[in-house]
């Protein structure tokens, strides 16, 4: 049968009732919750405005999509058979890394300017909206500075390059670099979160050490070095392992790249140390204490990144309902849809407010012990709460778009795959909750700082005051371990409400308290019985046809 050409009169199908392409989206000016939280934290707005405008360009979203579609590739050897053990990335990855490093993502907190940690936290939140995978190496690079302070020599060699705004991905020794990144290799098969079960061995070699062992997860294996734990003759110790040595690679074998659910633009590897050269960081036997100075800062980022994922999902849902009609009405005008979006918006408002308050406490830690103690306990509460909110919230946003939200052409599948990651990284929920109990038990000042922060909003709202009293009555002391999640959730919600009461618009704070604290409501998004949602939806941007 002959194949006939199409009719000359055939016209393409008319596409109707579909939202226009979003184009460039200014992540800073379109987000009043972020701007207000940054102002409360005292961070400079100018660099964040520039970063938000640059990261929101359509070209950056395209770079992120390309970096996720074309996953990193492990190249063990070159064409001549020489060992390489390199990880190669899509050009979109390098574009994102260059932009974020150049903006000061990893550098701002260490450059001496005001509220650098809060500015960094705002960048994490915005970067996660566009492409969260590249946040991983930058977060560890940012967080490594306190751990490196345990060695004057290593700090002098590494910190200036980690704080450089030059992106230099070349596989060269540190002395030949214009900028550097640092990763982590902690997890082993037999231990997981129990770092005291580390079996990697460290043997002295003059002023250096030689490490031998297997690491089940190495985050960002393309980094210029790794912080790691190994068992020295005097106990578990922290080490810095350079990736490249003069004229050769270090004795680190990349066995395979992990095939992950999400975070696909970023490489994670299983590695072996085969007498790899390493430098001692901190005292012998004090490895966990040393590495925790880094973990404290990475946990800040694991609280802000899911907030960014939620904001991105909410923005997609809002854009859809503002330009889509069903049953002769725009979706944004239908009461049930407005209730769903307003409920989701409250999760984002709370996560941003709490995350930036924690970042401000990190900035102010040098000014007094109270803020330092608050930072230690509040970062764990924020990490727990935001990561429990993110997966169901993003699923709801996906459902708003229907079938289109489930298709890879839309950003929501990427956000959904990414949503569980930060809840697992740097301590899963049970680990975090146990850390909260330990901190409160061992550090009376942390308990005092938390109580002061909760009571700072007393008197502003009767329901808040009632819930604060109920919380104290339910847990006059620390809860038993089986109630640790319940305690962490309720405390985090109260802390969020306190922050909102003292800084957010009344409509936001009142709605959060009415629907999150002691309210009789359903478990599903939108099942919260509030009819007036306009003030919340107006903060998401224009709801009229373009």
């Amino acid at each position: 049968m002959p194949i006939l050409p199409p009719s000359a009169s055939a016209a393409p199908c008319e596409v109707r009732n579909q939202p226009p392409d979003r184009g460039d989206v200014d992540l800073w000016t379109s987000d009043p919750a972020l701007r207000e939280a940054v102002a409360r934290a005292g961070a400079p707005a100018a660099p964040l405005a520039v970063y938000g405008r640059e990261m929101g360009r359509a070209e950056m979203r395209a770079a992120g999509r390309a970096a996720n579609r074309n996953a990193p590739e492990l190249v063990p050897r070159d064409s001549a058979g020489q060992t390489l053990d390199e990880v190669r990335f899509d050009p979109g990855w390098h574009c994102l890394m260059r932009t974020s490093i150049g903006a000061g993502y990893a550098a701002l907190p260490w450059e001496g300017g005001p509220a650098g940690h809060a500015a960094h936290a705002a960048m994490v939140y915005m970067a996660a909206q566009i492409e969260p995978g590249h946040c991983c190496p930058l977060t560890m690079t940012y967080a490594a500075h306190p751990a490196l302070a345990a060695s004057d020599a290593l700090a002098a060699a590494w910190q200036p390059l980690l704080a450089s705004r030059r992106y230099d991905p070349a596989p060269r020794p540190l002395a030949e670099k214009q900028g550097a990144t640092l990763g982590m290799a902690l997890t082993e098969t037999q231990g997981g979160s129990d770092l005291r079960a580390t079996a990697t061995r460290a043997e002295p070699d003059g002023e250096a050490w030689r490490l031998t062992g297997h690491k089940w997860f190495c985050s960002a294996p393309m980094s210029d070095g790794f912080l790691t734990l190994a068992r020295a003759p005097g106990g578990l110790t922290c080490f810095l392992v350079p990736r490249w040595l003069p004229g050769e690679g270090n004795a680190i074998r990349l066995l395979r790249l992990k095939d992950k659910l999400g975070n696909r633009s970023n490489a994670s590897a299983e590695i072996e140390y085969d007498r790899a050269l390493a430098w001692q960081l901190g005292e012998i036997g004090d490895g966990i204490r040393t590495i925790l100075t880094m973990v404290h800062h990475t946990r800040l980022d694991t609280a802000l990144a899911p907030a960014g994922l939620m904001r991105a999902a909410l923005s997609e849902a809002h854009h859809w309902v503002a330009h889509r009609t069903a049953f002769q009405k725009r979706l944004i005008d239908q009461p049930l849809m407005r209730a769903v979006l307003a409920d989701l918006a409250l999760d984002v408002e709370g996560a941003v407010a709490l995350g930036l308050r924690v970042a401000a406490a990190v900035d102010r830690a040098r000014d007094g012990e109270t803020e330092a103690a608050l930072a230690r306990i509040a970062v764990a509460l924020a990490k727990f709460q935001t990561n429990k909110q993110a997966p169901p919230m993003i699923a709801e946003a996906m459902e708003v778009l229907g079938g289109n939200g489930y298709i890879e052409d839309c950003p929501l599948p990427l956000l959904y795959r990414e949503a569980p990651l930060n809840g697992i990284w740097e301590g899963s929920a049970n680990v975090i909750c146990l850390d909260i109990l330990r901190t409160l038990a061992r550090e009376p000042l942390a308990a005092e700082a938390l109580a002061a922060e909760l009571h700072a909003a007393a008197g502003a709202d009767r329901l808040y005051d009632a819930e604060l009293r109920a919380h104290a009555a339910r847990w006059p002391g620390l809860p038993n371990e089986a109630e640790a999640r319940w305690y962490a959730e309720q405390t985090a919600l109260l802390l969020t409400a306190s922050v909102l009461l003292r800084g957010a618009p009344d409509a936001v704070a009142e709605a959060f308290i009415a629907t999150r604290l002691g309210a009789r409501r359903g478990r599903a998004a939108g099942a919260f019985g509030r009819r007036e949602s306009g003030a919340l939806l107006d903060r998401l941007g224009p709801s009229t046809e373009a």
Side-chain angles (χ1 to χ4, degrees), residues 449-488:
L450 177 59
E453 189 74 6
L454 294 175
H455 284 87
D461 184 276
R462 286 186 296 175
L463 178 56
Y464 176 81
D465 292 348
E467 285 301 307
L468 195 57
R469 291 191 297 270
H471 186 275
R474 188 178 298 121
W475 293 294
L478 289 179
N480 62 59
E481 184 177 312
E483 290 186 351
R485 283 196 178 207
W486 185 19
Y487 175 83

Side-chain angles (χ1 to χ4, degrees), residues 229 234-238 281-291:
L229 293 176
L236 198 59
T237 304
C238 186
L281 191 57
E283 298 296 324
I284 296 290
D286 204 27
I288 291 181
R289 187 189 304 273
T290 303
I291 202 67

Side-chain angles (χ1 to χ4, degrees), residues 166-177:
R166 300 288 296 275
Y167 174 51
D168 184 353
R172 291 193 293 255
L174 191 71
E176 302 175 22
K177 303 275 289 188

Side-chain angles (χ1 to χ4, degrees), residues 50-414:
V50 172
Y51 186 65
R53 184 169 58 250
E54 177 66 16
M55 284 299 288
R57 291 190 303 114
E59 289 84 353
M60 298 304 290
R61 292 203 301 277
R65 291 181 66 79
N68 278 273
R69 287 184 182 275
N70 304 313
E73 178 187 7
L74 173 61
V75 184
R77 298 181 183 275
D78 66 13
S79 58
Q82 299 292 326
T83 298
L84 288 178
D85 265 354
E86 291 182 15
V87 182
R88 294 181 180 169
F89 295 83
D90 184 86
W93 168 270
H94 297 296
C95 173
L96 292 158
M97 290 287 287
R98 187 178 303 108
T99 299
S100 291
I101 286 178
Y105 182 118
L108 272 169
W110 316 114
E111 292 178 334
H117 292 284
H120 162 81
M123 285 190 176
V124 175
Y125 169 77
M126 289 189 282
Q129 296 178 45
I130 302 303
E131 202 296 297
H134 83 292
C135 296
C136 175
L138 298 182
T139 284
M140 291 184 294
T141 299
Y142 146 74
H145 285 257
L148 288 169
S151 166
D152 291 342
L154 291 175
W158 284 83
Q159 284 181 339
L161 289 172
L162 298 181
S164 169
R165 295 199 181 201
R166 300 288 296 275
Y167 174 51
D168 184 353
R172 291 193 293 255
L174 191 71
E176 302 175 22
K177 303 275 289 188
Q178 296 180 319
T181 58
L182 204 61
M184 253 193 317
L186 300 179
T187 307
E188 298 186 5
T189 54
Q190 73 285 350
S193 296
D194 184 4
L195 297 178
R196 296 188 186 279
T198 295
T200 297
R201 304 188 313 276
E203 301 171 315
D205 183 6
E207 295 183 354
W209 294 76
R210 296 286 176 175
L211 304 190
T212 302
H214 175 237
K215 296 293 183 180
W216 189 237
F217 275 95
C218 174
S219 298
M222 64 291 185
S223 300
D224 296 288
F226 310 106
L227 293 188
T228 195
L229 293 176
R231 198 163 293 283
L236 198 59
T237 304
C238 186
F239 296 92
L240 192 156
V241 185
R243 184 73 179 88
W244 311 102
L245 303 176
E248 61 180 349
N250 203 352
I252 306 170
R253 291 205 298 268
L254 274 59
L255 303 181
R256 59 172 174 161
L257 299 186
K258 299 290 193 178
D259 187 5
K260 298 172 292 184
L261 168 68
N263 202 248
R264 301 190 69 86
S265 67
N266 175 48
S268 302
E270 183 180 340
I271 68 170
E272 281 185 350
Y273 295 134
D274 185 11
R275 290 186 53 79
L277 182 74
W279 301 99
Q280 181 182 329
L281 191 57
E283 298 296 324
I284 296 290
D286 204 27
I288 291 181
R289 187 189 304 273
T290 303
I291 202 67
L292 283 180
T293 62
M294 179 179 185
V295 170
H296 176 68
H297 286 80
T298 53
R299 281 184 177 173
L300 173 64
D301 288 23
T302 58
L304 267 301
L309 300 179
M310 289 194 289
R311 170 65 192 188
L314 180 62
S315 297
E316 292 294 329
H318 181 255
H319 180 71
W320 178 266
V321 301
H323 297 90
R324 178 84 167 174
T325 61
F327 310 110
Q328 291 78 51
K329 285 185 179 180
R330 285 196 314 152
L331 290 177
I332 192 64
D333 297 327
Q334 302 195 26
L336 189 53
M337 182 61 75
R338 293 176 68 81
V340 170
L341 244 64
D343 206 1
L344 300 182
L346 284 174
D347 285 338
V348 179
E349 293 268 3
V352 174
L354 180 58
L356 267 294
R357 175 63 185 99
V358 174
V362 176
D363 278 312
R364 298 165 190 166
R366 70 187 70 178
D367 300 330
E369 294 183 0
T370 300
E371 286 289 300
L374 178 64
R376 287 192 294 275
I377 186 64
V379 73
L381 290 165
K383 176 180 169 11
F384 173 81
Q385 182 69 7
T386 309
N387 282 290
K388 286 303 171 193
Q389 292 171 330
M393 183 273 180
I394 294 169
E396 285 285 353
M398 182 182 291
E399 189 174 323
V400 168
L401 275 69
N404 273 13
Y406 200 68
I407 302 301
E408 291 290 346
D409 291 340
C410 169
L412 284 162
L414 184 153

